[in-house]
Amino acid sequence: MNDDFGYVDDLVPGVRWDAKYATWDNFTGKPVDGYLANRIVGTRSLCAALEQAREKAAALGFGLLLWDGYRPQRAVDCFLRWSEQPEDGRTKPRHYPNIDRTQLFKHGYVAEKSGHSRGGAVDLTLYHLATGELAPMGGGHDLMDPISRHRARGITPIEAQNREHLRSVMEDCGFDRYDREWWHYTLRNEPHPDVYFDFPIT
């Protein structure tokens, strides 16, 4: 691993994580190339900002649950190959119900060069510290659909409020939102804005 990177759970004690691409629970339906361990990796700058976000969320009664951080370039390449394979329907209802998998790159849900591969992006949600239950957000991770946009119509007031809590916490701590995905944030002053890394997560 590059010296400027670390495991988020080591550098931000108290966060929860579920590295979706290391599991079968993701839009490809199987573990993704480069994810050899269920852990989240990020730059030290990203982790420092996440520690601030963890403290700010805690003041609101929430904890942070991370789904992805650094993403090896080989994983992005794996996504591209997957998008070109025939549709088997296994993950479509949950992850891209209203779009063809071949259109996911065109519509900006997946990128051939991802900020995740620079170590400066994170996918996450909130959970209630009192109960451990996930805060309802009006759709799960990688629901590639217009309902996942910030300020999307069709979600409940509490779901909209929870998305707003996450947005305010993350933006106050140095992150920029991605308008198409309520869960995706990029560090505003990321340390490697032009470098796409490919070391595996082990």
Side-chain angles (χ1 to χ4, degrees), residues 1-8 10-11 40-44 47:
M1 187 186 304
N2 182 297
D3 289 342
D4 193 33
F5 287 72
Y7 296 110
V8 176
D10 284 342
L11 298 174
I40 307 291
V41 170
T43 62
R44 295 182 183 278
C47 290

Side-chain angles (χ1 to χ4, degrees), residues 144-194:
M144 292 174 273
D145 189 85
I147 203 168
S148 295
R149 288 179 175 268
H150 287 273
R151 304 188 186 280
R153 296 181 180 181
I155 62 175
T156 69
I158 189 64
E159 290 165 347
Q161 183 180 57
N162 287 335
R163 289 189 186 188
E164 184 63 15
H165 283 316
L166 180 60
R167 184 202 61 76
S168 64
V169 164
M170 297 300 285
E171 290 186 346
D172 285 352
C173 294
F175 291 87
D176 290 327
R177 69 180 182 269
Y178 180 50
D179 282 337
R180 291 178 184 269
E181 299 172 346
W182 62 260
W183 58 84
H184 178 108
Y185 288 85
T186 300
L187 190 64
R188 200 166 294 139
N189 297 309
E190 56 180 306
H192 305 289
D194 301 309

Side-chain angles (χ1 to χ4, degrees), residues 99-140:
I99 192 173
D100 190 275
R101 69 161 71 181
T102 61
Q103 300 295 304
L104 297 180
F105 283 84
K106 176 182 177 181
H107 287 275
Y109 292 115
V110 188
E112 293 184 28
K113 291 292 185 181
S114 170
H116 285 281
S117 299
R118 302 191 301 261
V122 63
D123 294 344
L124 78 169
T125 191
L126 300 173
Y127 69 91
H128 295 285
L129 288 173
T131 64
E133 295 182 0
L134 294 185
M137 291 289 191

Side-chain angles (χ1 to χ4, degrees), residues 20-40:
K20 291 294 189 183
Y21 300 130
T23 75
W24 292 77
D25 185 19
N26 63 70
F27 69 87
T28 73
K30 63 181 181 180
V32 176
D33 293 357
Y35 289 86
L36 306 180
N38 192 324
R39 296 185 79 180
I40 307 291

